[in-house]
Amino acid sequence: MSQEKVERYKKEKANRKKVLKREKIKKGILSVVGTIVCVAIVGWIGYSGYGYYKTQKAENTTKTEVDLSAVNDYLGNLSSSDAQ
């Protein structure tokens, strides 16, 4: 039994650098993927919020029509009286 433990320890020690390197790579990939997911979520929330804000702003906007015919007539009369 003790010899089995010694053999297992030797195998673990021989592969320790490979295992640590593999774990470091996995941790790095996990952090990059996690960052990308977080950025995507924040971007989606921002885009949705902007769309909601834009929709609410469009609904609250009122259009007012102005009849400028009186002003045009007045200006037309001014320019025709200057010509005489």
Side-chain angles (χ1 to χ4, degrees):
M1 185 78 165
S2 178
Q3 188 63 31
E4 290 176 17
K5 287 183 181 179
V6 171
E7 293 297 324
R8 198 173 352 147
Y9 177 75
K10 285 182 180 180
K11 286 182 182 179
E12 287 177 7
K13 188 174 180 182
N15 294 327
R16 189 173 293 159
K17 287 183 181 179
K18 291 179 185 178
V19 171
L20 290 176
K21 187 175 181 179
R22 196 175 307 138
E23 287 177 2
K24 189 175 180 180
I25 291 172
K26 284 182 181 180
K27 192 180 288 187
I29 290 173
L30 184 63
S31 66
V32 169
V33 170
T35 303
I36 291 172
V37 168
C38 288
V39 167
I41 289 171
V42 168
W44 176 67
I45 290 171
Y47 182 76
S48 297
Y50 176 73
Y52 178 76
Y53 170 75
K54 191 174 178 182
T55 304
Q56 291 297 320
K57 187 176 178 182
E59 288 177 359
N60 293 335
T61 304
T62 58
K63 294 183 180 181
T64 305
E65 294 185 20
V66 178
D67 184 20
L68 297 175
S69 60
V71 174
N72 288 334
D73 292 340
Y74 175 71
L75 292 175
N77 289 337
L78 287 178
S79 63
S80 63
S81 63
D82 287 339
Q84 292 176 351

